[in-house]
Amino acid sequence: MKTIDNDTELKNLIKGIKLDSPGSDFTSKVMGRVFEEETVKAKATNERLLGNGFWVILSIFVLLIVAMFVFSNGVTNEGQLSKLLSSANNGSFSQGYQSMFNNLGSLPLSIGGILLAGSVLLFIDKFFSRITPHHSMQKSF
Amino acid sequence: MEQKDDIWYIERVLKGDKQYFSHIVDKYKDIVYSIAFKVLRNREDAEEMAQESFIKVYKSLHTFKGDAKFSTWLYRITYNSCISEVRKKKLKFVSTDDVQISDEPEEMNFDGIPEENRALYVKAALDKLPEDEYTLILLYYFEEKPIEEIGEITRLSASNVKVKLFRARKKLYSILNEMLKGELYTIL
């Protein structure tokens, strides 16, 4: 009696059938996608997450904070800047550093908040426009 | 030998010779497409799914350790992707419960049918099986996969594969004999 294991007649007949085939360009389509994948992967690896634009914006904000600190105190109290510079020139860098952070406290909280929120929003925008192409497309319209 | 060839090509691909992946595609495209076509019942969807299966395999080729046969891994990805697609599209699985499974011994009466045409009848009968039974028969008889590997592909236990295979084979004989009887009447 034939069982699933010893049914050689059925096996030979099934081995002789011609299976359905995809289109003649199937392999080239798959290979096209393989090379496409490679290009995307290589591009993602080479592309820095934070581009030059981000660093320019960040530098501008840092400069703005420093300028605001210097001028907000410098205009009202002229001796402050020279005091700060002279403390740095005297070689006591740590004293100057300490003095800068003490004076930073006098910066209006609202301005600090606006600058910080602006920086965060710009960073988020930059970050998401890089990871989601759809977002950057919307941005360009 | 099959596994040795596959591993050689996989190593070449992993070393950066991407074009060697085309040998793997050429070797397995028909069976991958056949499974997809049987499950999805649409040529465009089947071709799309077969492509997706190869791309999935390509993307995770670095994770292939060679513990299982490459073809077993590929067929498992294909079969599971197709089943997921069917569930996603809420397609109904084909049922052949109305096919009467006879208790007659499994014999095929190919009298009057030229030998070169016999495989066509078997193919036509095979196409009438539901997707799960078609896949089991194809993997067991066409691909000569052992029961355990078929279990890995279809996520069935070995005993379940045996039971389903037994039923599928019986059903195939019943369909085939009905077809051959009809053919005999036409000849007479």
Side-chain angles (χ1 to χ4, degrees):
Chain A
M1 189 190 156
K2 284 182 195 171
T3 63
I4 52 169
D5 312 317
N6 65 8
D7 197 346
T8 45
E9 190 190 7
L10 183 66
K11 187 176 139 184
N12 291 336
L13 279 166
I14 289 177
K15 280 194 89 67
I17 64 172
K18 173 96 181 70
L19 291 177
D20 294 304
S21 295
S24 54
D25 58 346
F26 181 81
T27 306
S28 57
K29 275 184 189 169
V30 174
M31 290 313 288
R33 286 192 57 189
V34 163
F35 289 118
E36 210 174 89
E37 284 289 328
E38 279 307 301
T39 317
V40 170
K41 215 159 74 178
K43 206 177 161 190
T45 321
N46 295 334
E47 207 170 73
R48 285 181 301 163
L49 187 64
L50 302 173
N52 289 337
F54 172 77
W55 295 111
V56 168
I57 290 164
L58 190 74
S59 311
I60 291 168
F61 274 109
V62 170
L63 280 171
L64 257 169
I65 290 172
V66 171
M68 280 191 70
F69 157 74
V70 168
F71 290 112
S72 65
N73 294 302
V75 172
T76 53
N77 188 3
E78 281 179 17
Q80 202 77 11
L81 182 63
S82 55
K83 204 172 107 185
L84 186 70
L85 288 171
S86 67
S87 63
N89 286 337
N90 284 343
S92 53
F93 183 75
S94 61
Q95 270 182 4
Y97 190 72
Q98 187 71 35
S99 162
M100 186 182 119
F101 273 94
N102 287 340
N103 285 316
L104 209 65
S106 64
L107 196 76
L109 197 66
S110 55
I111 292 171
I114 289 165
L115 288 174
L116 186 72
S119 308
V120 170
L121 283 172
L122 268 165
F123 173 74
I124 290 169
D125 183 58
K126 276 269 163 198
F127 183 76
F128 283 106
S129 65
R130 272 173 194 283
I131 60 169
T132 55
H134 176 68
H135 178 86
S136 53
M137 269 175 73
Q138 274 183 333
K139 213 174 111 181
S140 66
F141 283 122
Chain B
M1 189 65 190
E2 173 212 302
Q3 180 73 346
K4 199 182 162 191
D5 285 351
D6 290 344
I7 287 178
W8 189 84
Y9 284 122
I10 290 163
E11 278 172 359
R12 303 305 314 162
V13 174
L14 290 175
K15 278 179 185 166
D17 297 326
K18 311 293 174 201
Q19 68 275 17
Y20 279 98
F21 193 68
S22 65
H23 292 273
I24 293 172
V25 178
D26 276 335
K27 186 176 172 184
Y28 292 109
K29 65 180 178 183
D30 284 355
I31 190 145
V32 164
Y33 175 76
S34 288
I35 294 171
F37 182 49
K38 182 67 195 175
V39 179
L40 300 170
R41 282 166 271 153
N42 174 297
R43 289 202 177 272
E44 284 77 31
D45 290 349
E47 194 158 323
E48 184 73 23
M49 190 49 70
Q51 270 189 44
E52 282 304 320
S53 302
F54 280 112
I55 296 298
K56 268 186 199 173
V57 162
Y58 173 77
K59 280 183 180 173
S60 45
L61 208 55
H62 62 282
T63 65
F64 178 69
K65 299 281 184 279
D67 301 334
K69 270 189 181 171
F70 172 76
S71 55
T72 304
W73 187 52
L74 171 66
Y75 299 154
R76 190 174 66 210
I77 289 173
T78 306
Y79 189 69
N80 290 332
S81 303
C82 291
I83 296 293
S84 303
E85 187 67 11
V86 167
R87 287 186 183 139
K88 204 164 77 184
K89 287 190 170 178
K90 291 177 182 165
L91 293 172
K92 281 184 181 164
F93 288 100
V94 175
S95 169
T96 51
D97 288 342
D98 51 331
V99 174
Q100 295 291 313
I101 301 174
S102 65
D103 286 333
E104 292 167 27
E106 292 92 10
E107 296 295 339
M108 284 174 274
N109 185 8
F110 278 117
D111 290 345
I113 292 167
E115 211 170 321
E116 62 270 22
N117 289 349
R118 290 176 187 176
L120 292 174
Y121 283 89
V122 178
K123 171 81 170 69
L126 201 56
D127 284 341
K128 288 189 174 170
L129 287 176
E131 49 283 326
D132 54 343
E133 292 176 346
Y134 172 92
T135 308
L136 292 178
I137 293 278
L138 199 68
L139 292 174
Y140 190 74
Y141 290 110
F142 189 85
E143 279 289 286
E144 296 184 61
K145 288 264 175 215
I147 299 283
E148 291 72 25
E149 281 185 36
I150 297 175
E152 272 179 50
I153 295 165
T154 56
R155 297 191 177 180
L156 294 170
S157 66
S159 54
N160 212 343
V161 171
K162 271 187 190 173
V163 170
K164 277 180 164 269
L165 205 48
F166 178 80
R167 272 184 63 84
R169 184 172 149 273
K170 279 254 180 200
K171 219 182 260 186
L172 184 67
Y173 269 104
S174 297
I175 296 168
L176 196 56
N177 283 327
E178 278 303 310
M179 284 169 66
L180 292 173
K181 261 184 220 169
E183 193 62 32
L184 195 65
Y185 288 134
T186 318
I187 293 167
L188 290 173

